[in-house]
Amino acid sequence: MTVKGAHMVSKGYIRAWADARNVVDVLDLQDGRGYPSSYLSATVVSYVYDPKVLTRDLEDDYSQIENSGTPAIVKLRKGHTLTAAERSAVIAFLDMHLDRGRYADQTKIRIPAVVLKTGGRIENAELTLGDRLLLSQSIQDVLRLTTLGLEQWPWQVRKAKHLATGDGAVLLWRPTDGADISTISFPLSPTQLLVIGQNLPDDAPLNPLLAKNSKRWIVGVKGTLNFNKAAVIAARRSQG
């Protein structure tokens, strides 16, 4: 299913940051711009998940994950307890969010490749982001939250203030450098933080860590993001 305007950060998820007119603040750290936008068009990139070499329908995969995960996230926002299946749907959503985030600033990059066709014919090709995302699913070194048994970890929704979100919103916490992951955090809304695993300190710098972890997109409630920071961050990253 080819989709012209695909969201890098799920539309149904960022709706929680929109005001009565459906407007959110957006920082594009790649282009160095900040601006207000309808959540319907925020973080949209044309044909971003359309593979050119592989044939699997990645956009359809993501659509199914969103269709299961978003209602479960809404239940968490309302304070409801999730079933085991709903917890699994949230974990799949977080894995998808991680996948997208890893490549959020590489949508225009094309990777040369040699393709072995049926019958032994060899062709030169270029891998799009959709191809690379599909290939990454078979790389063993890529972290998959589904392998951590998160369904059995403690889950809580904590109250918070002025949370932003973005392509780097899934934060992985370790008690010490090199230790196993002990906590996963994810903003559910501007005022709610999902914490899976060990508790986090009250003064954890959530928004600064999210900004550091995000490759391209940061989304916030209208009037809460400093648009000038997008240009500053983009310039700093371009210098290496």
Side-chain angles (χ1 to χ4, degrees):
M1 178 176 62
T2 300
V3 177
K4 180 179 180 180
H7 287 77
M8 297 293 288
V9 183
S10 299
K11 174 180 63 178
Y13 163 66
I14 60 174
R15 184 176 185 177
W17 277 260
D19 65 9
R21 296 186 176 183
N22 292 330
V23 175
V24 295
D25 276 357
V26 177
L27 300 186
D28 182 339
L29 305 180
Q30 178 174 288
D31 292 346
R33 299 186 302 130
Y35 50 88
S37 169
S38 166
Y39 82 91
L40 295 169
S41 55
T43 80
V44 167
V45 179
S46 296
Y47 302 109
V48 66
Y49 302 126
D50 184 22
K52 297 300 183 184
V53 176
L54 303 178
T55 58
R56 186 174 179 86
D57 191 339
L58 183 61
E59 184 62 42
D60 185 63
D61 289 349
Y62 285 163
S63 179
Q64 292 184 43
I65 291 170
E66 289 172 335
N67 288 342
S68 298
T70 303
I73 287 173
V74 171
K75 285 189 68 173
L76 285 172
R77 290 171 180 157
K78 293 180 178 179
H80 298 163
T81 300
L82 301 187
T83 65
E86 288 168 336
R87 285 192 174 196
S88 295
V90 171
I91 295 165
F93 187 98
L94 298 184
D95 255 338
M96 176 190 69
H97 199 99
L98 276 174
D99 270 347
R100 289 170 162 175
R102 291 184 184 103
Y103 298 95
D105 60 346
Q106 300 182 41
T107 58
K108 299 178 182 179
I109 294 176
R110 300 292 182 266
I111 303 297
V114 176
V115 179
L116 178 62
K117 308 289 281 189
T118 303
R121 183 164 53 90
I122 294 176
E123 289 184 0
N124 293 322
E126 288 187 335
L127 301 180
T128 65
L129 178 57
D131 293 307
R132 295 169 67 199
L133 281 165
L134 286 168
L135 288 171
S136 73
Q137 295 177 4
S138 62
I139 299 175
Q140 294 184 351
D141 291 341
V142 175
L143 172 67
R144 300 293 169 195
L145 299 183
T146 51
T147 67
L148 300 181
L150 298 184
E151 292 90 343
Q152 307 305 317
W153 291 21
W155 288 48
Q156 62 170 309
V157 177
R158 289 176 33 168
K159 292 182 179 180
K161 292 182 179 179
H162 311 304
L163 290 178
T165 191
D167 60 65
V170 180
L171 295 180
L172 312 177
W173 302 79
R174 293 174 170 83
T176 59
D177 289 343
D180 291 337
I181 295 170
S182 59
T183 307
I184 313 291
S185 69
F186 186 67
L188 299 176
S189 76
T191 59
Q192 296 169 298
L193 180 73
L194 172 64
V195 178
I196 304 175
Q198 297 180 13
N199 206 354
L200 294 174
D202 293 338
D203 59 351
L206 296 168
N207 281 346
L209 287 173
L210 179 143
K212 182 179 180 181
N213 197 45
S214 293
K215 298 292 185 65
R216 180 172 184 181
W217 302 106
I218 297 176
V219 175
V221 172
K222 184 181 177 183
T224 62
L225 298 185
N226 183 344
F227 293 160
N228 294 327
K229 283 189 175 181
V232 172
I233 294 172
R236 185 184 303 130
R237 291 182 177 181
S238 68
Q239 294 170 1

